[in-house]
PDB file of all heavy atoms in Angstrom:
ATOM      1  N   GLU A 146      91.225 119.112 101.222  1.00 94.00           N
ATOM      2  CA  GLU A 146      90.128 119.362 100.291  1.00 94.00           C
ATOM      3  C   GLU A 146      89.588 118.055  99.715  1.00 94.00           C
ATOM      4  O   GLU A 146      88.370 117.864  99.622  1.00 94.00           O
ATOM      5  CB  GLU A 146      90.613 120.273  99.153  1.00 94.00           C
ATOM      6  CG  GLU A 146      90.884 121.711  99.587  1.00 94.00           C
ATOM      7  CD  GLU A 146      91.470 122.547  98.462  1.00 94.00           C
ATOM      8  OE1 GLU A 146      91.667 121.994  97.356  1.00 94.00           O
ATOM      9  OE2 GLU A 146      91.735 123.751  98.699  1.00 94.00           O
ATOM     10  N   LEU A 147      90.522 117.153  99.325  1.00 89.00           N
ATOM     11  CA  LEU A 147      90.096 115.853  98.815  1.00 89.00           C
ATOM     12  C   LEU A 147      89.343 115.077  99.887  1.00 89.00           C
ATOM     13  O   LEU A 147      88.338 114.418  99.609  1.00 89.00           O
ATOM     14  CB  LEU A 147      91.307 115.053  98.346  1.00 89.00           C
ATOM     15  CG  LEU A 147      91.976 115.513  97.049  1.00 89.00           C
ATOM     16  CD1 LEU A 147      93.181 114.642  96.746  1.00 89.00           C
ATOM     17  CD2 LEU A 147      91.001 115.456  95.884  1.00 89.00           C
ATOM     18  N   SER A 148      89.864 115.184 101.134  1.00 88.00           N
ATOM     19  CA  SER A 148      89.201 114.484 102.236  1.00 88.00           C
ATOM     20  C   SER A 148      87.795 115.028 102.445  1.00 88.00           C
ATOM     21  O   SER A 148      86.849 114.268 102.666  1.00 88.00           O
ATOM     22  CB  SER A 148      90.030 114.631 103.521  1.00 88.00           C
ATOM     23  OG  SER A 148      89.407 113.984 104.600  1.00 88.00           O
ATOM     24  N   ASP A 149      87.671 116.359 102.357  1.00 93.00           N
ATOM     25  CA  ASP A 149      86.346 116.979 102.505  1.00 93.00           C
ATOM     26  C   ASP A 149      85.403 116.504 101.400  1.00 93.00           C
ATOM     27  O   ASP A 149      84.234 116.185 101.653  1.00 93.00           O
ATOM     28  CB  ASP A 149      86.466 118.504 102.470  1.00 93.00           C
ATOM     29  CG  ASP A 149      87.144 119.060 103.712  1.00 93.00           C
ATOM     30  OD1 ASP A 149      87.200 118.338 104.717  1.00 93.00           O
ATOM     31  OD2 ASP A 149      87.626 120.210 103.664  1.00 93.00           O
ATOM     32  N   LYS A 150      85.929 116.468 100.157  1.00 92.00           N
ATOM     33  CA  LYS A 150      85.105 116.016  99.040  1.00 92.00           C
ATOM     34  C   LYS A 150      84.705 114.556  99.216  1.00 92.00           C
ATOM     35  O   LYS A 150      83.560 114.176  98.970  1.00 92.00           O
ATOM     36  CB  LYS A 150      85.858 116.210  97.726  1.00 92.00           C
ATOM     37  CG  LYS A 150      86.012 117.663  97.307  1.00 92.00           C
ATOM     38  CD  LYS A 150      86.760 117.769  95.981  1.00 92.00           C
ATOM     39  CE  LYS A 150      86.924 119.232  95.567  1.00 92.00           C
ATOM     40  NZ  LYS A 150      87.690 119.354  94.311  1.00 92.00           N
ATOM     41  N   ASN A 151      85.695 113.737  99.640  1.00 86.00           N
ATOM     42  CA  ASN A 151      85.398 112.316  99.858  1.00 86.00           C
ATOM     43  C   ASN A 151      84.358 112.143 100.962  1.00 86.00           C
ATOM     44  O   ASN A 151      83.450 111.307 100.860  1.00 86.00           O
ATOM     45  CB  ASN A 151      86.678 111.562 100.212  1.00 86.00           C
ATOM     46  CG  ASN A 151      87.625 111.440  99.041  1.00 86.00           C
ATOM     47  OD1 ASN A 151      87.220 111.570  97.893  1.00 86.00           O
ATOM     48  ND2 ASN A 151      88.893 111.199  99.312  1.00 86.00           N
ATOM     49  N   ALA A 152      84.533 112.928 102.048  1.00 91.00           N
ATOM     50  CA  ALA A 152      83.575 112.838 103.159  1.00 91.00           C
ATOM     51  C   ALA A 152      82.181 113.240 102.698  1.00 91.00           C
ATOM     52  O   ALA A 152      81.183 112.577 103.026  1.00 91.00           O
ATOM     53  CB  ALA A 152      84.034 113.728 104.317  1.00 91.00           C
ATOM     54  N   GLU A 153      82.122 114.334 101.909  1.00 93.00           N
ATOM     55  CA  GLU A 153      80.821 114.804 101.406  1.00 93.00           C
ATOM     56  C   GLU A 153      80.193 113.753 100.496  1.00 93.00           C
ATOM     57  O   GLU A 153      78.992 113.491 100.580  1.00 93.00           O
ATOM     58  CB  GLU A 153      81.019 116.115 100.642  1.00 93.00           C
ATOM     59  CG  GLU A 153      79.726 116.749 100.177  1.00 93.00           C
ATOM     60  CD  GLU A 153      79.943 118.089  99.494  1.00 93.00           C
ATOM     61  OE1 GLU A 153      81.089 118.610  99.575  1.00 93.00           O
ATOM     62  OE2 GLU A 153      78.997 118.597  98.883  1.00 93.00           O
ATOM     63  N   ARG A 154      81.047 113.143  99.648  1.00 88.00           N
ATOM     64  CA  ARG A 154      80.533 112.112  98.746  1.00 88.00           C
ATOM     65  C   ARG A 154      80.030 110.908  99.529  1.00 88.00           C
ATOM     66  O   ARG A 154      78.952 110.370  99.256  1.00 88.00           O
ATOM     67  CB  ARG A 154      81.640 111.673  97.792  1.00 88.00           C
ATOM     68  CG  ARG A 154      81.209 110.630  96.774  1.00 88.00           C
ATOM     69  CD  ARG A 154      82.408 110.073  96.051  1.00 88.00           C
ATOM     70  NE  ARG A 154      83.259 109.345  96.986  1.00 88.00           N
ATOM     71  CZ  ARG A 154      84.560 109.164  96.807  1.00 88.00           C
ATOM     72  NH1 ARG A 154      85.159 109.659  95.751  1.00 88.00           N
ATOM     73  NH2 ARG A 154      85.268 108.490  97.702  1.00 88.00           N
ATOM     74  N   GLU A 155      80.828 110.482 100.552  1.00 86.00           N
ATOM     75  CA  GLU A 155      80.425 109.327 101.349  1.00 86.00           C
ATOM     76  C   GLU A 155      79.145 109.610 102.123  1.00 86.00           C
ATOM     77  O   GLU A 155      78.274 108.743 102.244  1.00 86.00           O
ATOM     78  CB  GLU A 155      81.544 108.941 102.315  1.00 86.00           C
ATOM     79  CG  GLU A 155      82.757 108.323 101.649  1.00 86.00           C
ATOM     80  CD  GLU A 155      82.443 107.012 100.967  1.00 86.00           C
ATOM     81  OE1 GLU A 155      81.677 106.215 101.529  1.00 86.00           O
ATOM     82  OE2 GLU A 155      82.951 106.782  99.857  1.00 86.00           O
ATOM     83  N   ILE A 156      79.030 110.838 102.642  1.00 92.00           N
ATOM     84  CA  ILE A 156      77.811 111.205 103.379  1.00 92.00           C
ATOM     85  C   ILE A 156      76.612 111.161 102.443  1.00 92.00           C
ATOM     86  O   ILE A 156      75.558 110.606 102.778  1.00 92.00           O
ATOM     87  CB  ILE A 156      77.968 112.605 104.005  1.00 92.00           C
ATOM     88  CG1 ILE A 156      78.970 112.551 105.169  1.00 92.00           C
ATOM     89  CG2 ILE A 156      76.617 113.132 104.493  1.00 92.00           C
ATOM     90  CD1 ILE A 156      79.310 113.909 105.738  1.00 92.00           C
ATOM     91  N   THR A 157      76.792 111.745 101.247  1.00 91.00           N
ATOM     92  CA  THR A 157      75.688 111.757 100.277  1.00 91.00           C
ATOM     93  C   THR A 157      75.274 110.340  99.900  1.00 91.00           C
ATOM     94  O   THR A 157      74.085 109.994  99.917  1.00 91.00           O
ATOM     95  CB  THR A 157      76.108 112.526  99.009  1.00 91.00           C
ATOM     96  OG1 THR A 157      76.465 113.861  99.373  1.00 91.00           O
ATOM     97  CG2 THR A 157      74.969 112.555  97.996  1.00 91.00           C
ATOM     98  N   GLU A 158      76.293 109.510  99.574  1.00 85.00           N
ATOM     99  CA  GLU A 158      75.983 108.134  99.195  1.00 85.00           C
ATOM    100  C   GLU A 158      75.420 107.358 100.386  1.00 85.00           C
ATOM    101  O   GLU A 158      74.501 106.551 100.222  1.00 85.00           O
ATOM    102  CB  GLU A 158      77.248 107.453  98.671  1.00 85.00           C
ATOM    103  CG  GLU A 158      77.710 107.991  97.328  1.00 85.00           C
ATOM    104  CD  GLU A 158      78.891 107.217  96.776  1.00 85.00           C
ATOM    105  OE1 GLU A 158      79.352 106.276  97.462  1.00 85.00           O
ATOM    106  OE2 GLU A 158      79.347 107.549  95.675  1.00 85.00           O
ATOM    107  N   GLY A 159      75.977 107.609 101.574  1.00 86.00           N
ATOM    108  CA  GLY A 159      75.482 106.918 102.761  1.00 86.00           C
ATOM    109  C   GLY A 159      74.035 107.246 103.046  1.00 86.00           C
ATOM    110  O   GLY A 159      73.223 106.357 103.352  1.00 86.00           O
ATOM    111  N   VAL A 160      73.698 108.544 102.924  1.00 92.00           N
ATOM    112  CA  VAL A 160      72.308 108.963 103.146  1.00 92.00           C
ATOM    113  C   VAL A 160      71.398 108.308 102.110  1.00 92.00           C
ATOM    114  O   VAL A 160      70.313 107.815 102.438  1.00 92.00           O
ATOM    115  CB  VAL A 160      72.201 110.497 103.086  1.00 92.00           C
ATOM    116  CG1 VAL A 160      70.734 110.928 103.046  1.00 92.00           C
ATOM    117  CG2 VAL A 160      72.903 111.128 104.282  1.00 92.00           C
ATOM    118  N   GLN A 161      71.854 108.288 100.847  1.00 87.00           N
ATOM    119  CA  GLN A 161      71.043 107.671  99.789  1.00 87.00           C
ATOM    120  C   GLN A 161      70.836 106.185 100.048  1.00 87.00           C
ATOM    121  O   GLN A 161      69.714 105.670  99.926  1.00 87.00           O
ATOM    122  CB  GLN A 161      71.737 107.869  98.434  1.00 87.00           C
ATOM    123  CG  GLN A 161      71.728 109.299  97.940  1.00 87.00           C
ATOM    124  CD  GLN A 161      72.510 109.461  96.649  1.00 87.00           C
ATOM    125  OE1 GLN A 161      73.233 108.561  96.231  1.00 87.00           O
ATOM    126  NE2 GLN A 161      72.378 110.613  96.009  1.00 87.00           N
ATOM    127  N   VAL A 162      71.922 105.507 100.419  1.00 83.00           N
ATOM    128  CA  VAL A 162      71.830 104.058 100.646  1.00 83.00           C
ATOM    129  C   VAL A 162      70.915 103.751 101.815  1.00 83.00           C
ATOM    130  O   VAL A 162      70.008 102.911 101.720  1.00 83.00           O
ATOM    131  CB  VAL A 162      73.235 103.466 100.883  1.00 83.00           C
ATOM    132  CG1 VAL A 162      73.134 102.032 101.405  1.00 83.00           C
ATOM    133  CG2 VAL A 162      74.047 103.489  99.600  1.00 83.00           C
ATOM    134  N   PHE A 163      71.139 104.441 102.941  1.00 87.00           N
ATOM    135  CA  PHE A 163      70.334 104.132 104.131  1.00 87.00           C
ATOM    136  C   PHE A 163      68.889 104.598 103.956  1.00 87.00           C
ATOM    137  O   PHE A 163      67.973 103.971 104.489  1.00 87.00           O
ATOM    138  CB  PHE A 163      70.966 104.764 105.369  1.00 87.00           C
ATOM    139  CG  PHE A 163      72.062 103.925 105.960  1.00 87.00           C
ATOM    140  CD1 PHE A 163      73.369 104.094 105.557  1.00 87.00           C
ATOM    141  CD2 PHE A 163      71.780 102.939 106.897  1.00 87.00           C
ATOM    142  CE1 PHE A 163      74.388 103.323 106.077  1.00 87.00           C
ATOM    143  CE2 PHE A 163      72.777 102.156 107.427  1.00 87.00           C
ATOM    144  CZ  PHE A 163      74.100 102.340 107.024  1.00 87.00           C
ATOM    145  N   THR A 164      68.692 105.675 103.201  1.00 89.00           N
ATOM    146  CA  THR A 164      67.319 106.099 102.910  1.00 89.00           C
ATOM    147  C   THR A 164      66.612 105.030 102.088  1.00 89.00           C
ATOM    148  O   THR A 164      65.459 104.668 102.368  1.00 89.00           O
ATOM    149  CB  THR A 164      67.321 107.432 102.152  1.00 89.00           C
ATOM    150  OG1 THR A 164      67.945 108.432 102.959  1.00 89.00           O
ATOM    151  CG2 THR A 164      65.899 107.865 101.827  1.00 89.00           C
ATOM    152  N   ARG A 272      75.910  95.666  95.239  1.00 84.00           N
ATOM    153  CA  ARG A 272      76.140  96.873  94.451  1.00 84.00           C
ATOM    154  C   ARG A 272      77.158  97.783  95.130  1.00 84.00           C
ATOM    155  O   ARG A 272      78.052  98.334  94.483  1.00 84.00           O
ATOM    156  CB  ARG A 272      74.821  97.628  94.246  1.00 84.00           C
ATOM    157  CG  ARG A 272      74.922  98.793  93.279  1.00 84.00           C
ATOM    158  CD  ARG A 272      73.638  99.592  93.244  1.00 84.00           C
ATOM    159  NE  ARG A 272      73.437 100.305  94.485  1.00 84.00           N
ATOM    160  CZ  ARG A 272      74.025 101.476  94.768  1.00 84.00           C
ATOM    161  NH1 ARG A 272      74.845 102.033  93.901  1.00 84.00           N
ATOM    162  NH2 ARG A 272      73.784 102.077  95.910  1.00 84.00           N
ATOM    163  N   LEU A 273      77.037  97.915  96.460  1.00 84.00           N
ATOM    164  CA  LEU A 273      77.970  98.764  97.208  1.00 84.00           C
ATOM    165  C   LEU A 273      79.392  98.201  97.156  1.00 84.00           C
ATOM    166  O   LEU A 273      80.366  98.949  96.989  1.00 84.00           O
ATOM    167  CB  LEU A 273      77.506  98.890  98.662  1.00 84.00           C
ATOM    168  CG  LEU A 273      76.259  99.720  98.906  1.00 84.00           C
ATOM    169  CD1 LEU A 273      75.849  99.647 100.365  1.00 84.00           C
ATOM    170  CD2 LEU A 273      76.493 101.167  98.504  1.00 84.00           C
ATOM    171  N   TYR A 274      79.520  96.881  97.336  1.00 86.00           N
ATOM    172  CA  TYR A 274      80.850  96.266  97.281  1.00 86.00           C
ATOM    173  C   TYR A 274      81.460  96.423  95.894  1.00 86.00           C
ATOM    174  O   TYR A 274      82.682  96.555  95.752  1.00 86.00           O
ATOM    175  CB  TYR A 274      80.761  94.785  97.652  1.00 86.00           C
ATOM    176  CG  TYR A 274      80.613  94.541  99.137  1.00 86.00           C
ATOM    177  CD1 TYR A 274      79.719  93.578  99.616  1.00 86.00           C
ATOM    178  CD2 TYR A 274      81.341  95.265 100.059  1.00 86.00           C
ATOM    179  CE1 TYR A 274      79.576  93.349 100.985  1.00 86.00           C
ATOM    180  CE2 TYR A 274      81.203  95.056 101.423  1.00 86.00           C
ATOM    181  CZ  TYR A 274      80.318  94.090 101.872  1.00 86.00           C
ATOM    182  OH  TYR A 274      80.176  93.870 103.215  1.00 86.00           O
ATOM    183  N   VAL A 276      81.013  98.966  93.892  1.00 87.00           N
ATOM    184  CA  VAL A 276      81.526 100.338  93.845  1.00 87.00           C
ATOM    185  C   VAL A 276      82.803 100.453  94.666  1.00 87.00           C
ATOM    186  O   VAL A 276      83.793 101.065  94.239  1.00 87.00           O
ATOM    187  CB  VAL A 276      80.456 101.328  94.370  1.00 87.00           C
ATOM    188  CG1 VAL A 276      81.034 102.735  94.484  1.00 87.00           C
ATOM    189  CG2 VAL A 276      79.235 101.327  93.459  1.00 87.00           C
ATOM    190  N   GLU A 277      82.796  99.845  95.864  1.00 89.00           N
ATOM    191  CA  GLU A 277      83.969  99.907  96.742  1.00 89.00           C
ATOM    192  C   GLU A 277      85.169  99.225  96.101  1.00 89.00           C
ATOM    193  O   GLU A 277      86.301  99.747  96.137  1.00 89.00           O
ATOM    194  CB  GLU A 277      83.637  99.242  98.081  1.00 89.00           C
ATOM    195  CG  GLU A 277      84.789  99.279  99.075  1.00 89.00           C
ATOM    196  CD  GLU A 277      84.418  98.621 100.378  1.00 89.00           C
ATOM    197  OE1 GLU A 277      83.234  98.580 100.715  1.00 89.00           O
ATOM    198  OE2 GLU A 277      85.320  98.140 101.059  1.00 89.00           O
ATOM    199  N   LEU A 278      84.940  98.050  95.508  1.00 92.00           N
ATOM    200  CA  LEU A 278      86.038  97.318  94.877  1.00 92.00           C
ATOM    201  C   LEU A 278      86.613  98.130  93.721  1.00 92.00           C
ATOM    202  O   LEU A 278      87.842  98.161  93.526  1.00 92.00           O
ATOM    203  CB  LEU A 278      85.541  95.962  94.388  1.00 92.00           C
ATOM    204  CG  LEU A 278      86.593  95.039  93.762  1.00 92.00           C
ATOM    205  CD1 LEU A 278      87.727  94.773  94.734  1.00 92.00           C
ATOM    206  CD2 LEU A 278      85.954  93.723  93.326  1.00 92.00           C
ATOM    207  N   LYS A 279      85.752  98.780  92.964  1.00 92.00           N
ATOM    208  CA  LYS A 279      86.228  99.595  91.847  1.00 92.00           C
ATOM    209  C   LYS A 279      87.114 100.725  92.349  1.00 92.00           C
ATOM    210  O   LYS A 279      88.119 101.072  91.712  1.00 92.00           O
ATOM    211  CB  LYS A 279      85.028 100.152  91.077  1.00 92.00           C
ATOM    212  CG  LYS A 279      85.400 100.869  89.798  1.00 92.00           C
ATOM    213  CD  LYS A 279      84.165 101.263  89.010  1.00 92.00           C
ATOM    214  CE  LYS A 279      84.552 101.939  87.691  1.00 92.00           C
ATOM    215  NZ  LYS A 279      83.355 102.308  86.899  1.00 92.00           N
ATOM    216  N   ARG A 280      86.772 101.277  93.499  1.00 91.00           N
ATOM    217  CA  ARG A 280      87.577 102.364  94.064  1.00 91.00           C
ATOM    218  C   ARG A 280      88.947 101.872  94.520  1.00 91.00           C
ATOM    219  O   ARG A 280      89.972 102.486  94.221  1.00 91.00           O
ATOM    220  CB  ARG A 280      86.845 102.993  95.249  1.00 91.00           C
ATOM    221  CG  ARG A 280      85.675 103.873  94.855  1.00 91.00           C
ATOM    222  CD  ARG A 280      85.003 104.455  96.081  1.00 91.00           C
ATOM    223  NE  ARG A 280      83.822 105.220  95.745  1.00 91.00           N
ATOM    224  CZ  ARG A 280      82.953 105.667  96.642  1.00 91.00           C
ATOM    225  NH1 ARG A 280      83.144 105.418  97.921  1.00 91.00           N
ATOM    226  NH2 ARG A 280      81.904 106.362  96.260  1.00 91.00           N
ATOM    227  N   VAL A 281      88.975 100.776  95.249  1.00 94.00           N
ATOM    228  CA  VAL A 281      90.265 100.301  95.776  1.00 94.00           C
ATOM    229  C   VAL A 281      91.157  99.771  94.661  1.00 94.00           C
ATOM    230  O   VAL A 281      92.392  99.794  94.788  1.00 94.00           O
ATOM    231  CB  VAL A 281      90.074  99.236  96.878  1.00 94.00           C
ATOM    232  CG1 VAL A 281      89.250  99.788  98.023  1.00 94.00           C
ATOM    233  CG2 VAL A 281      89.433  97.961  96.331  1.00 94.00           C
ATOM    234  N   GLN A 283      91.806 101.181  92.068  1.00 94.00           N
ATOM    235  CA  GLN A 283      92.565 102.311  91.541  1.00 94.00           C
ATOM    236  C   GLN A 283      93.948 102.407  92.195  1.00 94.00           C
ATOM    237  O   GLN A 283      94.826 103.102  91.677  1.00 94.00           O
ATOM    238  CB  GLN A 283      91.795 103.615  91.757  1.00 94.00           C
ATOM    239  CG  GLN A 283      90.467 103.676  91.023  1.00 94.00           C
ATOM    240  CD  GLN A 283      89.666 104.926  91.358  1.00 94.00           C
ATOM    241  OE1 GLN A 283      90.101 105.767  92.137  1.00 94.00           O
ATOM    242  NE2 GLN A 283      88.502 105.048  90.750  1.00 94.00           N
ATOM    243  N   TYR A 284      94.134 101.721  93.318  1.00 95.00           N
ATOM    244  CA  TYR A 284      95.421 101.766  94.027  1.00 95.00           C
ATOM    245  C   TYR A 284      96.284 100.549  93.690  1.00 95.00           C
ATOM    246  O   TYR A 284      97.134 100.138  94.471  1.00 95.00           O
ATOM    247  CB  TYR A 284      95.182 101.846  95.537  1.00 95.00           C
ATOM    248  CG  TYR A 284      94.440 103.097  95.946  1.00 95.00           C
ATOM    249  CD1 TYR A 284      93.061 103.076  96.168  1.00 95.00           C
ATOM    250  CD2 TYR A 284      95.097 104.309  96.093  1.00 95.00           C
ATOM    251  CE1 TYR A 284      92.369 104.228  96.525  1.00 95.00           C
ATOM    252  CE2 TYR A 284      94.418 105.463  96.451  1.00 95.00           C
ATOM    253  CZ  TYR A 284      93.057 105.409  96.667  1.00 95.00           C
ATOM    254  OH  TYR A 284      92.392 106.555  97.024  1.00 95.00           O
ATOM    255  N   ARG A 340      98.207 103.868 100.258  1.00 94.00           N
ATOM    256  CA  ARG A 340      97.292 102.759  99.993  1.00 94.00           C
ATOM    257  C   ARG A 340      97.828 101.921  98.839  1.00 94.00           C
ATOM    258  O   ARG A 340      98.453 102.469  97.926  1.00 94.00           O
ATOM    259  CB  ARG A 340      95.899 103.283  99.625  1.00 94.00           C
ATOM    260  CG  ARG A 340      95.280 104.157 100.710  1.00 94.00           C
ATOM    261  CD  ARG A 340      94.147 104.985 100.163  1.00 94.00           C
ATOM    262  NE  ARG A 340      93.582 105.857 101.198  1.00 94.00           N
ATOM    263  CZ  ARG A 340      92.829 106.906 100.944  1.00 94.00           C
ATOM    264  NH1 ARG A 340      92.542 107.234  99.707  1.00 94.00           N
ATOM    265  NH2 ARG A 340      92.357 107.645 101.933  1.00 94.00           N
ATOM    266  N   GLU A 414      95.187 104.520 107.676  1.00 92.00           N
ATOM    267  CA  GLU A 414      93.890 104.195 108.261  1.00 92.00           C
ATOM    268  C   GLU A 414      93.948 102.937 109.115  1.00 92.00           C
ATOM    269  O   GLU A 414      93.056 102.678 109.920  1.00 92.00           O
ATOM    270  CB  GLU A 414      92.866 104.019 107.132  1.00 92.00           C
ATOM    271  CG  GLU A 414      91.417 103.940 107.592  1.00 92.00           C
ATOM    272  CD  GLU A 414      90.895 105.249 108.132  1.00 92.00           C
ATOM    273  OE1 GLU A 414      91.481 106.310 107.804  1.00 92.00           O
ATOM    274  OE2 GLU A 414      89.919 105.219 108.899  1.00 92.00           O
ATOM    275  N   TYR A 420      88.931  90.856  99.315  1.00 95.00           N
ATOM    276  CA  TYR A 420      87.726  90.837  98.483  1.00 95.00           C
ATOM    277  C   TYR A 420      87.695  89.587  97.611  1.00 95.00           C
ATOM    278  O   TYR A 420      88.737  89.111  97.145  1.00 95.00           O
ATOM    279  CB  TYR A 420      87.681  92.064  97.569  1.00 95.00           C
ATOM    280  CG  TYR A 420      87.573  93.377  98.298  1.00 95.00           C
ATOM    281  CD1 TYR A 420      88.710  94.050  98.712  1.00 95.00           C
ATOM    282  CD2 TYR A 420      86.338  93.940  98.578  1.00 95.00           C
ATOM    283  CE1 TYR A 420      88.624  95.258  99.389  1.00 95.00           C
ATOM    284  CE2 TYR A 420      86.225  95.140  99.252  1.00 95.00           C
ATOM    285  CZ  TYR A 420      87.381  95.802  99.654  1.00 95.00           C
ATOM    286  OH  TYR A 420      87.273  96.998 100.316  1.00 95.00           O
TER     287      TYR A 420
END
Side-chain angles (χ1 to χ4, degrees):
E146 290 175 0
L147 288 178
S148 179
D149 290 342
K150 289 181 180 178
N151 290 340
E153 185 177 349
R154 182 190 65 205
E155 289 297 320
I156 289 173
T157 301
E158 290 185 359
V160 169
Q161 290 176 348
V162 168
F163 276 91
T164 299
R272 188 187 69 82
L273 289 175
Y274 283 138
V276 173
E277 181 180 334
L278 183 57
K279 187 174 182 179
R280 286 180 184 170
V281 302
Q283 297 175 1
Y284 298 98
R340 301 162 182 162
E414 191 69 21
Y420 296 88

